[in-house]
């Protein structure tokens, strides 16, 4: 049906396989010095990889200009992902969209640093609608309404947004977990990036910090062919798809009907009952 099914969840059909998913989830060993970026797709993953790469380089742009983003922070669960990570020495950077209950259990006994970034789910929905229709990773939706239904049912890559958030929220009070939002990164890039540095135990000079902020900005990143998806093969995407689509908060208001937004809110209230509202920066 246009998906690869693993543990009852739909995954992309290209660049993923049942065996690799199974091995990665069951066997991958996280090390104490690793940094793991976890997100539900379309929540600002690539933006954060750019930021983490720049922090790692003390604001120097050589690494982000010469190495594709997915090589800087390989995707744990994709084909080739965890095997590539296993070959690396020293502190490693990696990304994953895995839901909490499927994540390699070695994380829970390690001191690895986990950064989880979340985003207003209505914006996640709209961003995903555009992205998946321009990729060859899965079946395409015929309309936003159809994609809306899929999203609400969790019938999209990596399953339900609600379940993803609910699962990872259980880690939020751990010392080695940093919870961020796309919205705060947009509103206060400087203080958010400072928080990330503090979490990572990294000290940057004011000039280095300026460079991280500037070079991870939407405008600059959109021009960086190592990060904007210009380099992704047409096997996977329909050109001219770029990961840097619009890069704003609240684009859902330009897309969802009043009825859709109301239906969304109703489900949201049910599924997210029990979580303090202050935890999330969206209305
Ligand atoms: P939109 O589709 O709403 O524009 P992910 O990396 O998790 O797939 O998320 C992609 C979303 O992050 C896209 O949202 C994209 O535009 C946005 N994004 C990518 N780079 C960004 C940046 N440097 N600043 C702000 N948003 C960025």
């Amino acid at each position: 049906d246009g998906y690869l099914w693993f543990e009852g969840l739909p995954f992309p059909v290209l660049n993923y396989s049942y065996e690799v998913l199974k091995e990665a989830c069951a066997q991958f060993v996280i090390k104490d010095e690793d940094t793991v970026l976890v997100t539900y797709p379309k929540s600002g993953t690539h933006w954060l990889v750019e930021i983490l790469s720049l922090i790692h380089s003390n604001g120097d742009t050589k690494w982000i200009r010469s190495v594709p983003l997915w090589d800087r922070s390989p995707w744990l669960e994709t084909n080739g992902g965890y095997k590539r990570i296993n070959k690396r020495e020293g502190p490693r950077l990696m990304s994953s969209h895995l839901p909490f209950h499927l994540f390699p259990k070695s994380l829970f006994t390690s001191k690895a640093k986990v950064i989880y970034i979340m985003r207003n789910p209505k914006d996640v929905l709209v961003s995903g609608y555009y992205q998946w229709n321009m990729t060859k990773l899965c079946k395409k939706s015929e309309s936003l309404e159809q994609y809306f239904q899929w999203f609400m049912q969790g019938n999209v890559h990596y399953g339900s947004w609600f379940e993803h958030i609910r699962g990872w929220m259980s880690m939020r009070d751990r010392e080695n977990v940093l919870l961020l939002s796309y919205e705060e990164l947009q509103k206060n890039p400087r203080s958010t990036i400072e928080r990330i540095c503090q979490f990572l135990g990294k000290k940057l000079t004011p000039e280095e910090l300026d460079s991280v902020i500037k070079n991870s900005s939407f405008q600059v990143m959109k021009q960086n062919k190592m990060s904007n998806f210009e380099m992704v093969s047409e096997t996977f995407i329909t050109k001219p798809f770029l990961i840097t689509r619009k890069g704003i908060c609240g684009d859902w208001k330009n897309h969802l009907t009043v009825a859709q937004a109301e239906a969304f809110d109703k489900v949201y209230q049910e599924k997210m009952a029990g979580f303090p509202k202050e935890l999330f920066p969206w209305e």
Side-chain angles (χ1 to χ4, degrees):
D1 63 354
Y3 288 122
L4 166 73
W5 289 86
F6 175 69
E7 294 286 335
L9 290 184
F11 284 83
V13 284
L14 290 178
N15 208 24
Y16 286 73
S17 70
Y18 186 87
E19 289 67 31
V20 173
L21 277 166
K22 202 169 152 202
E23 280 166 24
C25 294
Q27 295 168 19
F28 182 70
V29 179
I30 311 251
K31 296 184 183 167
D32 286 345
E33 64 271 26
D34 289 341
T35 301
V36 188
L37 170 60
V38 185
T39 65
Y40 184 83
K42 312 321 295 167
S43 303
T45 328
H46 297 84
W47 188 11
L48 214 58
V49 173
E50 200 80 338
I51 290 170
L52 293 173
S53 308
L54 283 157
I55 292 175
H56 176 85
S57 312
N58 298 319
D60 188 274
T61 56
K62 212 180 305 143
W63 200 33
I64 66 158
R65 300 263 167 225
S66 57
V67 178
L69 186 144
W70 47 91
D71 284 337
R72 286 181 250 132
S73 183
W75 238 266
L76 183 59
E77 64 270 18
T78 57
N79 284 346
Y82 85 93
K83 289 192 177 139
R84 202 139 40 103
I85 300 168
N86 275 342
K87 290 195 190 119
R88 298 196 169 175
E89 305 274 324
R92 308 173 299 183
L93 178 60
M94 65 195 80
S95 310
S96 175
H97 291 316
L98 284 172
F100 181 69
H101 71 283
L102 293 182
F103 204 86
K105 299 292 173 275
S106 56
L107 177 69
F108 308 119
T109 49
S110 87
K111 297 193 183 81
K113 295 201 163 75
V114 179
I115 301 181
Y116 186 88
I117 184 163
M118 56 187 176
R119 184 182 190 187
N120 185 335
K122 289 181 187 138
D123 284 337
V124 168
L125 187 159
V126 169
S127 182
Y129 167 69
Y130 284 103
Q131 152 136 358
W132 305 124
N133 274 357
M134 302 272 302
T135 70
K136 299 172 186 172
L137 301 173
C138 60
K139 64 179 171 188
K140 298 187 193 334
S141 53
E142 279 156 21
S143 61
L144 181 59
E145 172 58 25
Q146 187 181 45
Y147 187 79
F148 180 87
Q149 297 303 336
W150 293 354
F151 188 91
M152 299 317 279
Q153 292 154 10
N155 203 4
V156 287
H157 290 334
Y158 289 89
S160 157
W161 178 88
F162 301 99
E163 296 311 318
H164 207 277
I165 285 276
R166 292 170 60 90
W168 282 101
M169 280 298 140
S170 64
M171 293 280 280
R172 74 178 188 271
D173 290 329
R174 291 211 186 190
E175 221 172 78
N176 63 330
V177 175
L178 179 67
L179 180 64
L180 297 175
S181 70
Y182 183 92
E183 287 72 20
E184 69 178 318
L185 205 44
Q186 281 277 7
K187 206 165 151 201
N188 297 312
R190 180 171 299 267
S191 62
T192 311
I193 292 173
E194 275 170 346
R195 261 179 77 205
I196 300 173
C197 289
Q198 204 173 22
F199 175 72
L200 296 175
K202 184 92 183 175
K203 284 206 168 60
L204 297 183
T205 65
E207 294 74 30
E208 289 167 350
L209 183 65
D210 284 345
S211 170
V212 176
I213 296 167
K214 178 175 149 236
N215 289 296
S216 63
S217 70
F218 187 77
Q219 287 72 19
V220 174
M221 198 170 146
K222 200 178 171 103
Q223 303 300 325
N224 182 3
K225 68 175 194 303
M226 293 294 163
S227 306
N228 65 8
F229 271 43
E230 227 177 288
M231 308 238 311
V232 176
S233 144
E234 288 195 45
T235 313
F236 299 114
I237 60 170
T238 310
K239 303 269 174 166
F241 172 74
L242 294 183
I243 197 79
T244 41
R245 185 186 65 93
K246 206 158 174 186
I248 61 164
C249 296
D251 195 31
W252 67 268
K253 291 176 189 152
N254 303 318
H255 290 82
L256 299 193
T257 63
V258 172
Q260 282 169 335
E262 280 174 9
F264 193 106
D265 291 343
K266 195 156 171 278
V267 173
Y268 184 95
Q269 253 117 50
E270 279 163 22
K271 300 251 188 192
M272 303 304 280
F275 284 106
K277 280 205 177 71
E278 312 81 70
L279 209 55
F280 308 113
W282 48 82
E283 309 113 55

